[in-house]
Amino acid sequence: PFVGNPRQPMPEGLPFKLEDYLQLLDWTGRCLREDKRGAIPANLPPILKRLNIEPKNWLYSAQHFEKSFKGFAGKLDSLKQKLPDLGYQRIPNVGVLLT
């Protein structure tokens, strides 16, 4: 888990906040060569700004995903392939997604 800023005694986990980690990923992607996979163009705004998502709302959704969303998350084809592994014959709550 992300445990925030380093301190004593230090809890077990990554010593920074999730928001800081996302910024680090964004920064790293912008440093990669543009001709390589995973590069983020320098002129592209940060992902949450492009999606018009408030950072505090994203963090809440990430931290409370199972409470906020019922059922499964993912591409419909991928979910269908996993049904036998999960012991399901159909995807629960899929009708909600299709209506």
Side-chain angles (χ1 to χ4, degrees):
F2 295 96
V3 295
N5 299 325
R7 58 194 174 278
Q8 293 297 329
M10 186 66 193
E12 191 172 318
L14 298 172
F16 44 88
K17 296 181 278 185
L18 176 59
E19 185 175 356
D20 296 333
Y21 176 70
L22 295 175
Q23 288 176 353
L24 178 64
L25 290 178
D26 185 81
W27 180 84
T28 303
R30 292 171 191 277
C31 291
L32 297 174
R33 289 180 26 196
E34 291 184 17
D35 62 335
K36 296 292 184 181
R37 185 174 162 196
I40 299 172
N43 64 339
L44 197 62
I47 186 68
L48 295 180
K49 188 172 198 98
R50 291 193 325 257
L51 296 174
N52 196 26
I53 298 173
E54 288 291 325
K56 64 180 181 178
N57 294 342
W58 172 258
L59 291 175
Y60 181 86
S61 293
Q63 292 170 335
H64 301 93
F65 186 83
E66 292 176 356
K67 292 180 184 176
S68 301
F69 303 98
K70 304 298 180 208
F72 296 103
K75 293 187 331 185
L76 195 54
D77 291 340
S78 298
L79 294 174
K80 286 179 182 177
Q81 290 177 0
K82 281 302 216 181
L83 289 178
D85 297 339
L86 299 170
Y88 286 91
Q89 293 182 3
R90 63 180 184 84
I91 301 171
N93 299 322
V94 75
V96 174
L97 300 173
L98 301 175
T99 57

